[in-house]
Amino acid sequence: MRNRNGEPLDVVWMLAVGSGIVTVIILLYTLVIAFRFREGDLDDLAYPQRAMTTGTFVVSPGVALPAEGEGDPEGVENEGQRCAPSQTVRVLIEILETLVVDNKWIPGDPMYKTGWFGLVSFEAGPWFDNEASFQLGALRASRRISVELVDILGRSRGTSAADEDLSDARGALHFPERAWLINPFDEGVAFLSTSAASSYRGALESLRRYDVRIRSCEALFDARTDNLLKVIDRVSNDIGAMTETLALRSKGERWSVEDKRMIEGEGNDWGIFDFRADNLFHEAHGLMWAYHGLFQALRVDFGASVEQANLEGIWDRLEQHVAETASLEPWIVSNGREDSFLQPDHLSVMAVNMLRARANMTELREVLNP
């Protein structure tokens, strides 16, 4: 039998069944992706208080604590430690636990790297890539602090040998973030490899060992004022680089000094149709979320320097601006004009808030190094 168009009914039936199967596959694949890469509760701003053992500026990391019952600092947990811990290390441990223990590491997930049926990457679209971008931003801050721990904070004036546990943690954190067990399409990553998540969990173990050693007075944390100055300088440069990236993307037009007129800029004003804008925004979001906790920890670790230089007011403003920047989370990221009526410029908003925090870092630097 044939239908009105003269086609055999069995062919029509096969086409209908085939179309239905394809539709079901697409729907199921979309549901799986939506579930696997849904945005989790990564940006909780209360995490530093869960990680830090004290909120007061009592004693520098690695310095012996008073014996129990002889004026132990209020709020310091007595876990048998004889020396004060590093709050910076503890917050870094909490950040990494959030990224790779409490949540899956999305940038290295093979389904994420495959994209939409292997045809379009999620980074080129408006969905499913926000949490991955956030994780990359937080990893960027973690890598920066891991470098400072090895090069500056975990050794004496740069003349002593680098701490082995801190060096191992730094190396593990700089492992390629997109690595998985098999990487046939990733340039710069071995075909057979340790996964990024496994490497970062290894960094966690190294940091935990260092934490135990410093509480046992067997490791060094050099909390000198000049070291604080160096850390602030390098973190400020890191934030400045991210700010410049945001500013370039949001610049649809710029002033030409040569032509004395507005010309096309390096970025665009596409608003919600710039599907790469959300990647940059959420990377900056993750970066500032991580620094939100790390600055609170550095304030405790360098408490003597903060009090001696009377930095409390400036540091209060720094913490405020970093936290407010880390709290920015629009439902849809728009890269419109700064003076747009309908489509805001979220990249510029993020960049301006980051610049406020960076201005506070400049104030700190001017006081510490007049």
Side-chain angles (χ1 to χ4, degrees):
M1 295 181 62
R2 298 177 178 271
N3 63 7
R4 295 180 182 179
N5 298 324
E7 297 173 331
L9 288 179
D10 56 344
V11 174
V12 175
W13 180 83
M14 291 176 63
L15 289 174
V17 171
S19 299
I21 292 174
V22 170
T23 302
V24 169
I25 290 174
I26 292 174
L27 289 175
L28 288 176
Y29 188 74
T30 303
L31 289 173
V32 170
I33 290 172
F35 176 78
R36 286 177 59 82
F37 306 137
R38 68 192 185 281
E39 294 185 45
D41 188 21
L42 278 172
D43 57 351
D44 177 15
L45 295 182
Y47 78 90
Q49 284 63 56
R50 293 195 300 270
M52 296 165 61
T53 57
T54 177
T56 57
F57 312 146
V58 180
V59 62
S60 298
V63 175
L65 293 171
E68 185 177 2
E70 299 181 8
D72 281 348
E74 182 181 355
V76 175
E77 300 174 359
N78 193 315
E79 301 171 342
Q81 72 258 37
R82 291 174 287 125
C83 283
S86 165
Q87 308 300 334
T88 303
V89 171
R90 291 206 159 188
V91 167
L92 182 55
I93 289 172
E94 181 72 19
I95 290 171
L96 294 175
E97 285 181 342
T98 300
L99 294 180
V100 296
V101 177
D102 299 337
N103 296 273
K104 69 168 61 70
W105 180 253
I106 294 178
D109 188 286
M111 183 175 284
Y112 178 80
K113 295 193 293 182
T114 301
W116 188 259
F117 289 97
L119 301 175
V120 180
S121 71
F122 293 130
E123 285 133 357
W127 301 293
F128 310 129
D129 59 349
N130 291 346
E131 186 164 337
S133 298
F134 180 96
Q135 289 180 320
L136 291 175
L139 175 66
R140 176 171 172 171
S142 301
R143 285 172 168 172
R144 166 49 53 201
I145 294 301
S146 73
V147 170
E148 306 315 318
L149 284 169
V150 174
D151 292 347
I152 300 174
L153 304 179
R155 59 201 305 178
S156 177
R157 298 187 179 273
T159 58
S160 62
D163 186 274
E164 184 175 345
D165 287 326
L166 292 179
S167 295
D168 289 346
R170 178 182 63 178
L173 284 177
H174 282 77
F175 196 76
E177 58 273 8
R178 297 186 182 274
W180 194 61
L181 303 178
I182 304 174
N183 308 280
F185 307 112
D186 294 291
E187 295 183 5
V189 182
F191 180 79
L192 297 177
S193 169
T194 300
S195 69
S198 176
S199 181
Y200 303 155
R201 285 192 287 268
L204 257 176
E205 294 305 314
S206 297
L207 291 170
R208 288 179 181 133
R209 287 195 299 270
Y210 175 80
D211 178 58
V212 170
R213 288 173 50 236
I214 198 169
R215 288 189 287 113
S216 301
C217 307
E218 299 173 359
L220 173 70
F221 186 100
D222 198 357
R224 300 195 324 269
T225 299
D226 59 322
N227 283 346
L228 176 60
L229 179 63
K230 293 174 185 175
V231 173
I232 289 174
D233 270 346
R234 295 181 183 181
V235 171
S236 177
N237 290 338
D238 191 25
I239 292 176
M242 188 74 239
T243 303
E244 179 68 12
T245 302
L246 292 169
L248 288 176
R249 185 71 183 189
S250 66
K251 192 173 293 184
E253 290 184 327
R254 66 174 181 85
W255 178 256
S256 171
V257 177
E258 296 79 10
D259 299 335
K260 305 302 180 191
R261 63 183 180 87
M262 297 297 291
I263 63 174
E264 185 177 354
E266 296 85 348
N268 63 73
D269 297 321
W270 297 347
I272 62 174
F273 298 104
D274 181 3
F275 298 144
R276 296 278 184 176
D278 62 331
N279 305 348
L280 293 177
F281 183 93
H282 287 287
E283 183 177 348
H285 181 201
L287 181 79
M288 298 306 287
W289 171 82
Y291 281 136
H292 161 69
L294 290 167
F295 270 116
Q296 292 183 53
L298 287 168
R299 182 175 187 169
V300 177
D301 282 348
F302 289 90
S305 297
V306 172
E307 289 184 328
Q308 183 178 1
N310 195 25
L311 296 174
E312 288 87 351
I314 301 175
W315 209 295
D316 283 345
R317 292 193 294 274
L318 171 60
E319 280 191 31
Q320 176 185 348
H321 290 144
V322 173
E324 290 172 351
T325 305
S327 69
L328 295 174
E329 192 175 10
W331 185 52
I332 297 177
V333 175
S334 171
N335 184 26
R337 290 173 56 92
E338 292 182 353
D339 56 358
S340 173
F341 174 67
L342 296 176
Q343 299 197 77
D345 184 0
H346 289 130
L347 297 188
S348 289
V349 172
M350 175 64 79
V352 167
N353 279 272
M354 292 173 72
L355 285 174
R356 289 195 183 107
R358 196 162 184 254
N360 298 136
M361 294 178 212
T362 301
E363 288 184 84
L364 290 174
R365 192 187 190 288
E366 290 172 351
V367 175
L368 291 171
N369 188 29

